Amino acid sequence: MVPAWFMPGVATLDIAVAGGTMPMPWAHEVNLFALAVGTMIALMLFTMIMSRLIHHEPLPAGMAPSLMILMAPFEAGFLAYTNFMQRVDTFSGLLF
């Protein structure tokens, strides 16, 4: 498990980021589905990666910069949630 595995979850959250202002009548459901799937992927991978970082050997020195990727799901989740809900509330503040 390495932090770069977050990319599919972040890409799924980007659907809701880009689709927040789509005028089609079905866009709301597609964005909700992308937000739900991306959130579940991000939570699952975050748990697995943090478990690996805490309980197993440390990452090689060359992979240490990839730890910055751990911020990506929270950033994309904040943008997706605020685009979907059209407001900033307490939950989005926690993601930020």
Side-chain angles (χ1 to χ4, degrees):
M1 291 300 304
V2 294
W5 283 28
F6 268 127
M7 290 305 122
V10 172
T12 308
L13 287 171
D14 284 341
I15 295 170
V17 171
T21 58
M22 290 174 58
M24 286 74 81
W26 47 264
H28 184 76
E29 286 80 19
V30 170
N31 291 330
L32 181 60
F33 181 72
L35 186 62
V37 170
T39 301
M40 289 298 111
I41 291 172
L43 285 174
M44 178 187 65
L45 289 175
F46 187 77
T47 303
M48 292 168 61
I49 289 170
M50 289 307 291
S51 173
R52 186 233 191 258
L53 292 174
I54 293 170
H55 300 295
H56 298 286
E57 67 278 352
L59 288 175
M63 292 188 68
S66 70
L67 291 174
M68 292 298 290
I69 296 173
L70 291 174
M71 292 188 307
F74 298 106
E75 178 268 334
F78 169 77
L79 290 174
Y81 183 78
T82 54
N83 279 344
F84 184 76
M85 298 300 287
Q86 298 295 317
R87 67 177 189 277
V88 176
D89 56 10
T90 305
F91 180 69
S92 63
L94 289 172
L95 287 173
F96 185 74

Coordinates of all heavy atoms in Angstrom, one line a residue:
M1 N 0.8 -1.2 0.0 CA 0.0 0.0 0.0 C 0.9 1.2 0.0 O 1.7 1.4 0.9 CB -0.9 0.0 1.2 CG -2.0 -1.0 1.3 SD -3.1 -0.9 -0.1 CE -3.8 0.7 0.1
V2 N 0.7 2.1 -1.0 CA 1.4 3.3 -1.1 C 0.4 4.4 -1.3 O -0.7 4.2 -1.8 CB 2.5 3.3 -2.2 CG1 3.6 2.3 -1.8 CG2 1.9 3.0 -3.5
P3 N 0.7 5.7 -0.9 CA -0.2 6.8 -1.1 C -0.7 7.0 -2.5 O -1.8 7.6 -2.8 CB 0.5 8.0 -0.6 CG 1.5 7.4 0.4 CD 1.9 6.1 -0.1
A4 N 0.1 6.6 -3.5 CA -0.3 6.8 -4.9 C -1.6 6.0 -5.3 O -2.2 6.3 -6.3 CB 0.8 6.4 -5.8
W5 N -2.0 5.1 -4.5 CA -3.2 4.3 -4.7 C -4.4 5.2 -4.6 O -5.5 4.7 -4.9 CB -3.2 3.1 -3.8 CG -2.3 2.0 -4.2 CD1 -1.2 2.0 -4.9 CD2 -2.6 0.6 -4.0 NE1 -0.6 0.8 -5.1 CE2 -1.5 -0.1 -4.5 CE3 -3.5 -0.1 -3.3 CZ2 -1.4 -1.5 -4.4 CZ3 -3.4 -1.5 -3.2 CH2 -2.4 -2.1 -3.8
F6 N -4.3 6.4 -4.1 CA -5.4 7.3 -3.9 C -6.0 7.8 -5.2 O -7.1 8.3 -5.2 CB -5.1 8.5 -3.0 CG -5.4 8.2 -1.6 CD1 -4.4 8.4 -0.6 CD2 -6.6 7.8 -1.1 CE1 -4.6 8.2 0.7 CE2 -6.8 7.6 0.2 CZ -5.8 7.8 1.1
M7 N -5.2 7.7 -6.3 CA -5.6 8.4 -7.5 C -7.0 8.0 -8.0 O -7.7 8.8 -8.5 CB -4.5 8.2 -8.6 CG -3.2 9.0 -8.3 SD -3.6 10.7 -8.0 CE -2.9 11.0 -6.4
P8 N -7.4 6.7 -8.0 CA -8.7 6.4 -8.5 C -9.8 7.0 -7.7 O -10.8 7.4 -8.2 CB -8.8 4.8 -8.5 CG -7.3 4.4 -8.5 CD -6.6 5.5 -7.8
G9 N -9.6 7.0 -6.4 CA -10.6 7.6 -5.5 C -10.8 9.1 -5.7 O -11.8 9.7 -5.8
V10 N -9.6 9.8 -5.9 CA -9.6 11.2 -6.1 C -10.2 11.5 -7.5 O -11.0 12.5 -7.7 CB -8.2 11.8 -6.0 CG1 -8.2 13.2 -6.4 CG2 -7.7 11.7 -4.6
A11 N -9.9 10.7 -8.5 CA -10.5 10.9 -9.8 C -12.0 10.7 -9.8 O -12.7 11.4 -10.5 CB -9.9 9.9 -10.8
T12 N -12.5 9.8 -9.0 CA -14.0 9.6 -8.9 C -14.6 10.8 -8.2 O -15.7 11.3 -8.6 CB -14.3 8.3 -8.1 OG1 -13.6 7.2 -8.7 CG2 -15.8 8.1 -8.1
L13 N -13.9 11.4 -7.2 CA -14.4 12.6 -6.5 C -14.4 13.8 -7.5 O -15.2 14.7 -7.4 CB -13.6 12.9 -5.3 CG -13.8 12.0 -4.1 CD1 -12.8 12.3 -3.0 CD2 -15.2 12.2 -3.6
D14 N -13.5 13.8 -8.5 CA -13.4 14.9 -9.4 C -14.6 14.9 -10.3 O -14.9 16.0 -10.9 CB -12.1 14.8 -10.3 CG -10.9 15.2 -9.5 OD1 -11.0 15.9 -8.5 OD2 -9.8 14.8 -9.9
I15 N -15.3 13.8 -10.5 CA -16.6 13.8 -11.3 C -17.6 14.8 -10.6 O -18.2 15.6 -11.3 CB -17.2 12.4 -11.4 CG1 -16.2 11.5 -12.2 CG2 -18.6 12.5 -12.0 CD1 -16.6 10.1 -12.1
A16 N -17.7 14.7 -9.3 CA -18.6 15.6 -8.6 C -18.1 17.0 -8.5 O -18.9 18.0 -8.5 CB -18.9 15.1 -7.2
V17 N -16.8 17.2 -8.6 CA -16.2 18.6 -8.6 C -16.6 19.2 -9.9 O -17.1 20.4 -10.0 CB -14.7 18.5 -8.4 CG1 -14.1 19.9 -8.7 CG2 -14.3 18.1 -7.0
A18 N -16.4 18.5 -11.0 CA -16.7 19.1 -12.3 C -18.1 19.1 -12.7 O -18.6 20.0 -13.4 CB -15.9 18.3 -13.4
G19 N -18.9 18.2 -12.1 CA -20.3 18.1 -12.5 C -21.3 18.9 -11.6 O -22.5 18.8 -11.7
G20 N -20.8 19.7 -10.7 CA -21.6 20.4 -9.7 C -22.6 21.4 -10.4 O -23.6 21.7 -9.9
T21 N -22.2 21.9 -11.5 CA -23.0 22.9 -12.2 C -23.6 22.4 -13.5 O -24.1 23.2 -14.3 CB -22.2 24.2 -12.5 OG1 -21.0 23.8 -13.3 CG2 -21.7 24.8 -11.2
M22 N -23.6 21.1 -13.7 CA -24.2 20.6 -14.9 C -25.7 20.8 -14.9 O -26.4 20.5 -13.9 CB -23.9 19.1 -15.1 CG -22.4 18.8 -15.3 SD -22.0 17.0 -15.3 CE -23.1 16.4 -16.6
P23 N -26.3 21.3 -16.0 CA -27.7 21.6 -16.0 C -28.7 20.4 -16.4 O -29.9 20.6 -16.3 CB -27.8 22.7 -17.1 CG -26.7 22.3 -18.1 CD -25.6 21.8 -17.2
M24 N -28.1 19.3 -16.7 CA -29.0 18.2 -17.1 C -29.8 17.6 -15.9 O -29.3 17.7 -14.7 CB -28.1 17.0 -17.6 CG -27.6 17.3 -19.0 SD -26.3 18.4 -19.1 CE -24.9 17.5 -18.7
P25 N -31.0 17.1 -16.1 CA -31.8 16.7 -14.9 C -31.2 15.5 -14.2 O -31.5 15.2 -13.1 CB -33.2 16.3 -15.6 CG -32.9 16.2 -17.0 CD -31.7 17.0 -17.3
W26 N -30.4 14.7 -14.9 CA -29.8 13.5 -14.3 C -28.5 13.7 -13.6 O -27.9 12.8 -13.0 CB -29.6 12.4 -15.4 CG -29.0 12.9 -16.6 CD1 -29.7 13.3 -17.7 CD2 -27.6 13.0 -16.9 NE1 -28.8 13.7 -18.7 CE2 -27.5 13.5 -18.2 CE3 -26.5 12.8 -16.2 CZ2 -26.3 13.8 -18.8 CZ3 -25.2 13.1 -16.7 CH2 -25.2 13.6 -18.0
A27 N -28.0 14.9 -13.7 CA -26.6 15.2 -13.2 C -26.5 15.1 -11.7 O -25.5 14.7 -11.2 CB -26.2 16.6 -13.7
H28 N -27.6 15.4 -11.0 CA -27.6 15.3 -9.6 C -27.3 13.9 -9.1 O -26.5 13.7 -8.2 CB -28.9 15.9 -9.0 CG -29.0 15.9 -7.5 ND1 -28.4 16.9 -6.8 CD2 -29.6 15.1 -6.6 CE1 -28.6 16.7 -5.5 NE2 -29.3 15.6 -5.4
E29 N -28.0 12.9 -9.7 CA -27.8 11.5 -9.3 C -26.4 11.0 -9.7 O -25.8 10.3 -8.9 CB -28.9 10.7 -10.0 CG -30.2 10.8 -9.4 CD -31.0 12.0 -9.9 OE1 -30.6 12.6 -10.9 OE2 -31.9 12.4 -9.2
V30 N -25.9 11.4 -10.8 CA -24.5 11.0 -11.2 C -23.5 11.6 -10.2 O -22.6 10.9 -9.8 CB -24.2 11.4 -12.7 CG1 -22.8 11.2 -13.0 CG2 -25.1 10.7 -13.6
N31 N -23.7 12.9 -9.9 CA -22.8 13.5 -8.9 C -22.8 12.9 -7.5 O -21.8 12.7 -6.9 CB -23.0 15.0 -8.9 CG -22.6 15.7 -10.1 OD1 -21.7 15.3 -10.8 ND2 -23.3 16.8 -10.4
L32 N -24.1 12.5 -7.1 CA -24.2 11.9 -5.8 C -23.6 10.5 -5.8 O -22.9 10.2 -4.8 CB -25.7 11.8 -5.5 CG -26.0 11.1 -4.1 CD1 -25.4 11.9 -3.0 CD2 -27.5 11.0 -4.0
F33 N -23.7 9.8 -6.9 CA -23.1 8.5 -7.0 C -21.6 8.6 -7.0 O -20.9 7.8 -6.3 CB -23.6 7.7 -8.3 CG -23.0 6.4 -8.5 CD1 -23.4 5.3 -7.6 CD2 -22.0 6.1 -9.4 CE1 -22.9 4.1 -7.8 CE2 -21.5 4.9 -9.6 CZ -21.9 3.9 -8.8
A34 N -21.0 9.5 -7.8 CA -19.6 9.7 -7.8 C -19.1 10.2 -6.4 O -18.0 9.7 -6.0 CB -19.2 10.7 -8.8
L35 N -19.8 11.0 -5.7 CA -19.4 11.5 -4.4 C -19.4 10.3 -3.4 O -18.4 10.1 -2.6 CB -20.3 12.6 -3.9 CG -20.0 13.3 -2.6 CD1 -18.7 14.0 -2.7 CD2 -21.1 14.3 -2.3
A36 N -20.4 9.4 -3.5 CA -20.5 8.3 -2.6 C -19.4 7.3 -2.9 O -18.7 6.8 -1.9 CB -21.8 7.6 -2.7
V37 N -19.2 6.9 -4.1 CA -18.1 5.9 -4.5 C -16.8 6.5 -4.2 O -15.9 5.8 -3.6 CB -18.3 5.5 -6.0 CG1 -17.1 4.7 -6.4 CG2 -19.6 4.8 -6.2
G38 N -16.5 7.7 -4.5 CA -15.2 8.3 -4.2 C -14.9 8.4 -2.8 O -13.8 8.2 -2.3
T39 N -15.9 8.7 -2.0 CA -15.7 8.8 -0.5 C -15.4 7.4 0.1 O -14.5 7.3 0.9 CB -17.0 9.4 0.1 OG1 -17.2 10.7 -0.4 CG2 -16.8 9.5 1.6
M40 N -16.1 6.4 -0.4 CA -15.9 5.1 0.1 C -14.5 4.6 -0.3 O -13.8 4.0 0.6 CB -17.0 4.1 -0.3 CG -18.3 4.3 0.3 SD -18.2 4.1 2.1 CE -18.5 5.7 2.6
I41 N -14.1 4.8 -1.5 CA -12.7 4.4 -1.9 C -11.7 5.1 -1.1 O -10.7 4.5 -0.6 CB -12.5 4.7 -3.4 CG1 -13.4 3.7 -4.3 CG2 -11.1 4.5 -3.8 CD1 -13.4 4.0 -5.7
A42 N -11.9 6.4 -0.9 CA -10.9 7.2 -0.2 C -10.8 6.8 1.3 O -9.7 6.6 1.8 CB -11.2 8.7 -0.3
L43 N -11.9 6.5 1.9 CA -11.9 6.1 3.3 C -11.3 4.7 3.5 O -10.5 4.5 4.4 CB -13.3 6.0 3.9 CG -14.0 7.3 4.2 CD1 -15.4 7.1 4.6 CD2 -13.2 8.0 5.3
M44 N -11.6 3.8 2.5 CA -11.0 2.5 2.6 C -9.5 2.5 2.4 O -8.7 1.9 3.2 CB -11.6 1.6 1.5 CG -11.0 0.2 1.5 SD -11.6 -0.8 0.1 CE -10.9 0.1 -1.3
L45 N -9.0 3.2 1.4 CA -7.6 3.3 1.1 C -6.9 4.1 2.2 O -5.7 3.8 2.5 CB -7.4 3.9 -0.3 CG -7.7 3.1 -1.4 CD1 -7.5 3.8 -2.7 CD2 -6.9 1.8 -1.4
F46 N -7.5 5.2 2.7 CA -6.8 5.9 3.8 C -6.6 5.0 5.0 O -5.5 5.1 5.6 CB -7.7 7.1 4.2 CG -7.0 8.0 5.2 CD1 -6.0 8.9 4.7 CD2 -7.3 8.0 6.5 CE1 -5.4 9.8 5.6 CE2 -6.7 8.9 7.4 CZ -5.7 9.7 7.0
T47 N -7.6 4.2 5.4 CA -7.4 3.3 6.5 C -6.3 2.3 6.2 O -5.5 2.0 7.1 CB -8.7 2.5 6.7 OG1 -9.8 3.5 7.0 CG2 -8.6 1.6 7.9
M48 N -6.3 1.7 5.0 CA -5.2 0.7 4.7 C -3.8 1.4 4.7 O -2.9 0.8 5.2 CB -5.6 0.1 3.4 CG -6.8 -0.8 3.5 SD -7.4 -1.3 1.9 CE -6.1 -2.3 1.2
I49 N -3.7 2.5 4.1 CA -2.4 3.2 4.0 C -1.9 3.6 5.4 O -0.7 3.4 5.7 CB -2.5 4.4 3.0 CG1 -2.6 3.8 1.6 CG2 -1.2 5.2 3.1 CD1 -2.9 4.9 0.6
M50 N -2.8 4.2 6.2 CA -2.4 4.6 7.6 C -2.0 3.4 8.4 O -1.0 3.4 9.2 CB -3.5 5.4 8.2 CG -3.7 6.8 7.6 SD -2.1 7.8 7.5 CE -1.8 8.1 9.2
S51 N -2.7 2.3 8.2 CA -2.3 1.1 8.9 C -0.9 0.6 8.5 O -0.1 0.2 9.4 CB -3.4 0.0 8.7 OG -3.0 -1.3 9.2
R52 N -0.7 0.6 7.2 CA 0.7 0.2 6.7 C 1.7 1.2 7.3 O 2.8 0.7 7.7 CB 0.7 0.3 5.2 CG 2.0 -0.3 4.6 CD 2.6 0.7 3.7 NE 3.6 0.2 2.9 CZ 4.9 0.4 3.1 NH1 5.3 1.2 4.1 NH2 5.9 -0.1 2.4
L53 N 1.5 2.5 7.3 CA 2.5 3.4 7.8 C 2.7 3.3 9.3 O 3.9 3.5 9.7 CB 2.1 4.9 7.4 CG 2.1 5.2 6.0 CD1 1.5 6.6 5.8 CD2 3.4 5.1 5.4
I54 N 1.7 2.9 10.0 CA 1.9 2.8 11.5 C 2.5 1.5 11.9 O 3.3 1.4 12.8 CB 0.5 3.1 12.2 CG1 0.1 4.5 12.0 CG2 0.6 2.7 13.7 CD1 -1.3 4.8 12.4
H55 N 2.0 0.4 11.3 CA 2.3 -0.9 11.8 C 3.4 -1.7 11.1 O 3.9 -2.7 11.5 CB 1.0 -1.8 11.8 CG 0.0 -1.3 12.7 ND1 0.1 -1.2 14.1 CD2 -1.3 -0.8 12.4 CE1 -1.0 -0.7 14.5 NE2 -1.9 -0.4 13.6
H56 N 3.8 -1.2 9.9 CA 4.8 -1.9 9.1 C 6.1 -1.0 8.9 O 6.1 0.1 9.5 CB 4.2 -2.3 7.8 CG 3.1 -3.3 7.9 ND1 3.2 -4.6 8.3 CD2 1.7 -3.1 7.8 CE1 2.0 -5.2 8.3 NE2 1.1 -4.3 8.0
E57 N 7.0 -1.5 8.1 CA 8.2 -0.8 7.9 C 7.9 0.5 7.2 O 7.0 0.7 6.5 CB 9.2 -1.6 7.1 CG 8.8 -1.9 5.7 CD 7.8 -3.0 5.5 OE1 7.5 -3.8 6.5 OE2 7.3 -3.2 4.4
P58 N 8.8 1.5 7.5 CA 8.5 2.8 6.8 C 8.8 2.8 5.3 O 9.4 1.9 4.8 CB 9.6 3.8 7.5 CG 10.6 2.9 8.1 CD 9.9 1.5 8.4
L59 N 8.2 3.8 4.7 CA 8.4 3.9 3.2 C 9.9 4.1 2.9 O 10.6 4.8 3.7 CB 7.6 5.1 2.7 CG 6.1 4.9 2.6 CD1 5.4 6.2 2.1 CD2 5.7 3.8 1.7
P60 N 10.3 3.7 1.8 CA 11.7 4.0 1.4 C 11.8 5.5 1.2 O 10.9 6.2 0.9 CB 11.9 3.3 0.0 CG 10.8 2.3 0.0 CD 9.7 2.8 0.8
A61 N 13.1 6.0 1.4 CA 13.3 7.5 1.3 C 12.8 8.1 0.0 O 12.3 9.2 0.0 CB 14.8 7.7 1.6
G62 N 13.0 7.4 -1.1 CA 12.5 7.9 -2.4 C 11.0 8.1 -2.5 O 10.6 8.8 -3.3
M63 N 10.3 7.4 -1.7 CA 8.8 7.5 -1.7 C 8.2 8.4 -0.7 O 7.0 8.6 -0.7 CB 8.2 6.1 -1.6 CG 8.5 5.2 -2.7 SD 7.5 3.6 -2.6 CE 5.9 4.2 -2.8
A64 N 9.1 9.0 0.2 CA 8.6 9.9 1.2 C 7.8 11.1 0.7 O 6.8 11.4 1.3 CB 9.7 10.3 2.1
P65 N 8.2 11.7 -0.4 CA 7.4 12.8 -1.0 C 6.0 12.4 -1.4 O 5.1 13.2 -1.4 CB 8.2 13.3 -2.2 CG 9.6 12.9 -1.9 CD 9.5 11.6 -1.2
S66 N 5.7 11.1 -1.6 CA 4.4 10.7 -2.0 C 3.4 10.8 -0.9 O 2.2 10.6 -1.1 CB 4.4 9.2 -2.6 OG 4.7 8.3 -1.6
L67 N 3.9 11.0 0.3 CA 3.0 11.2 1.5 C 2.1 12.4 1.3 O 1.1 12.5 2.0 CB 3.8 11.2 2.8 CG 4.4 9.9 3.2 CD1 5.3 10.1 4.4 CD2 3.3 8.8 3.5
M68 N 2.5 13.4 0.5 CA 1.7 14.6 0.3 C 0.4 14.2 -0.4 O -0.5 15.0 -0.4 CB 2.5 15.6 -0.6 CG 3.7 16.2 0.1 SD 3.2 17.1 1.6 CE 2.4 18.5 0.8
I69 N 0.4 13.1 -1.1 CA -0.9 12.6 -1.8 C -1.9 12.4 -0.7 O -3.1 12.4 -1.1 CB -0.6 11.4 -2.6 CG1 0.4 11.8 -3.7 CG2 -1.8 10.8 -3.2 CD1 0.9 10.6 -4.6
L70 N -1.6 12.1 0.5 CA -2.6 11.9 1.6 C -3.6 13.0 1.7 O -4.7 12.9 2.3 CB -1.9 11.5 2.9 CG -1.2 10.2 2.9 CD1 -0.5 10.1 4.3 CD2 -2.2 9.1 2.7
M71 N -3.2 14.2 1.3 CA -4.1 15.4 1.4 C -5.1 15.4 0.3 O -6.2 16.0 0.4 CB -3.3 16.7 1.3 CG -2.4 16.9 2.5 SD -1.7 18.6 2.5 CE -0.9 18.7 0.9
A72 N -4.9 14.8 -0.9 CA -5.7 14.8 -2.0 C -7.2 14.4 -1.8 O -8.1 15.1 -2.3 CB -5.1 14.0 -3.2
P73 N -7.5 13.3 -1.1 CA -8.9 13.0 -1.0 C -9.7 14.0 -0.2 O -10.8 14.2 -0.4 CB -8.9 11.6 -0.2 CG -7.5 11.1 -0.3 CD -6.6 12.3 -0.6
F74 N -9.0 14.6 0.8 CA -9.7 15.6 1.6 C -10.0 16.9 0.8 O -11.0 17.5 0.9 CB -8.9 15.9 2.9 CG -8.8 14.7 3.8 CD1 -7.5 14.1 3.8 CD2 -9.8 14.2 4.5 CE1 -7.4 13.0 4.6 CE2 -9.7 13.1 5.3 CZ -8.5 12.5 5.4
E75 N -9.0 17.3 0.0 CA -9.1 18.5 -0.8 C -10.2 18.2 -1.9 O -11.1 19.1 -2.1 CB -7.8 18.8 -1.5 CG -7.8 20.0 -2.4 CD -8.1 19.6 -3.8 OE1 -7.8 18.4 -4.2 OE2 -8.6 20.4 -4.6
A76 N -10.1 17.1 -2.6 CA -11.1 16.8 -3.6 C -12.5 16.6 -3.0 O -13.5 16.9 -3.6 CB -10.7 15.6 -4.4
G77 N -12.5 16.0 -1.8 CA -13.8 15.8 -1.1 C -14.5 17.1 -0.7 O -15.7 17.2 -0.8
F78 N -13.7 18.0 -0.3 CA -14.2 19.4 0.1 C -14.8 20.0 -1.2 O -15.9 20.5 -1.1 CB -13.1 20.2 0.7 CG -13.5 21.7 0.8 CD1 -14.3 22.1 1.8 CD2 -13.0 22.6 -0.1 CE1 -14.7 23.4 2.0 CE2 -13.4 23.9 0.0 CZ -14.2 24.3 1.0
L79 N -14.1 20.0 -2.3 CA -14.6 20.6 -3.5 C -15.8 19.9 -4.0 O -16.8 20.6 -4.4 CB -13.5 20.6 -4.6 CG -12.3 21.6 -4.3 CD1 -11.2 21.3 -5.4 CD2 -12.8 23.0 -4.3
A80 N -15.8 18.6 -4.0 CA -17.0 17.8 -4.5 C -18.2 18.1 -3.6 O -19.3 18.3 -4.1 CB -16.6 16.3 -4.5
Y81 N -18.0 18.1 -2.3 CA -19.1 18.3 -1.4 C -19.7 19.7 -1.5 O -20.9 19.8 -1.5 CB -18.7 18.0 0.1 CG -19.8 18.1 1.1 CD1 -20.7 17.0 1.2 CD2 -19.9 19.2 1.9 CE1 -21.7 17.1 2.2 CE2 -20.9 19.3 2.8 CZ -21.8 18.2 3.0 OH -22.8 18.3 3.9
T82 N -18.8 20.7 -1.5 CA -19.4 22.0 -1.6 C -20.0 22.3 -3.0 O -21.0 23.0 -3.1 CB -18.3 23.1 -1.4 OG1 -17.2 22.8 -2.2 CG2 -17.8 23.1 0.1
N83 N -19.5 21.7 -4.1 CA -20.2 21.8 -5.4 C -21.5 21.1 -5.4 O -22.5 21.5 -6.0 CB -19.3 21.2 -6.5 CG -18.2 22.2 -6.9 OD1 -18.3 23.4 -6.6 ND2 -17.3 21.7 -7.7
F84 N -21.6 20.0 -4.7 CA -22.8 19.2 -4.7 C -23.9 19.9 -3.8 O -25.0 20.0 -4.2 CB -22.5 17.8 -4.1 CG -23.7 16.9 -4.2 CD1 -24.2 16.4 -5.4 CD2 -24.4 16.6 -3.0 CE1 -25.3 15.6 -5.4 CE2 -25.6 15.8 -3.1 CZ -26.0 15.3 -4.3
M85 N -23.5 20.3 -2.6 CA -24.4 20.9 -1.7 C -24.7 22.4 -1.9 O -25.6 23.0 -1.4 CB -23.9 20.8 -0.2 CG -23.8 19.3 0.2 SD -25.4 18.4 0.1 CE -26.2 19.1 1.5
Q86 N -23.8 23.1 -2.7 CA -23.8 24.5 -3.0 C -23.8 25.4 -1.8 O -24.3 26.5 -1.8 CB -25.1 24.8 -3.8 CG -25.2 24.1 -5.1 CD -24.2 24.5 -6.1 OE1 -23.9 25.7 -6.2 NE2 -23.6 23.6 -6.8
R87 N -23.0 24.9 -0.8 CA -22.8 25.7 0.4 C -21.6 25.2 1.2 O -21.3 24.0 1.0 CB -24.0 25.8 1.3 CG -24.4 24.5 2.0 CD -25.6 24.7 2.9 NE -25.9 23.5 3.7 CZ -26.6 22.5 3.3 NH1 -27.1 22.5 2.1 NH2 -26.7 21.5 4.0
V88 N -21.1 26.0 2.1 CA -20.0 25.5 3.0 C -20.6 25.3 4.4 O -21.2 26.3 4.9 CB -18.8 26.5 3.0 CG1 -17.8 26.1 4.0 CG2 -18.2 26.6 1.6
D89 N -20.6 24.1 4.9 CA -21.2 23.9 6.2 C -20.1 23.3 7.1 O -18.9 23.3 6.8 CB -22.4 23.0 6.1 CG -22.2 21.7 5.4 OD1 -21.1 21.4 5.1 OD2 -23.2 21.0 5.1
T90 N -20.5 22.7 8.2 CA -19.6 22.2 9.2 C -18.8 21.0 8.7 O -17.6 20.9 8.8 CB -20.3 21.8 10.5 OG1 -21.1 22.9 11.0 CG2 -19.4 21.3 11.6
F91 N -19.5 20.1 8.0 CA -18.8 18.9 7.4 C -17.8 19.3 6.4 O -16.6 18.8 6.4 CB -19.8 17.9 6.8 CG -19.2 16.7 6.2 CD1 -18.6 15.8 7.1 CD2 -19.1 16.5 4.9 CE1 -17.9 14.7 6.5 CE2 -18.5 15.4 4.3 CZ -17.9 14.5 5.2
S92 N -18.1 20.3 5.5 CA -17.1 20.7 4.5 C -16.0 21.4 5.2 O -14.8 21.3 4.7 CB -17.8 21.6 3.5 OG -18.3 22.7 4.0
G93 N -16.2 22.1 6.3 CA -15.2 22.7 7.1 C -14.2 21.7 7.7 O -13.0 21.9 7.7
L94 N -14.8 20.6 8.1 CA -13.9 19.5 8.6 C -13.0 18.9 7.5 O -11.9 18.6 7.7 CB -14.8 18.4 9.2 CG -15.4 18.7 10.5 CD1 -16.4 17.6 10.9 CD2 -14.4 19.0 11.6
L95 N -13.6 18.8 6.3 CA -12.8 18.3 5.2 C -11.7 19.2 4.8 O -10.6 18.9 4.4 CB -13.7 18.0 4.0 CG -14.6 16.8 4.0 CD1 -15.5 16.8 2.8 CD2 -13.8 15.5 4.2
F96 N -12.0 20.5 4.9 CA -11.0 21.6 4.6 C -9.9 21.5 5.5 O -8.7 21.6 5.2 CB -11.6 22.9 4.5 CG -10.7 24.0 4.0 CD1 -10.4 24.1 2.7 CD2 -10.2 24.9 4.9 CE1 -9.5 25.1 2.3 CE2 -9.3 25.9 4.5 CZ -9.0 26.0 3.2

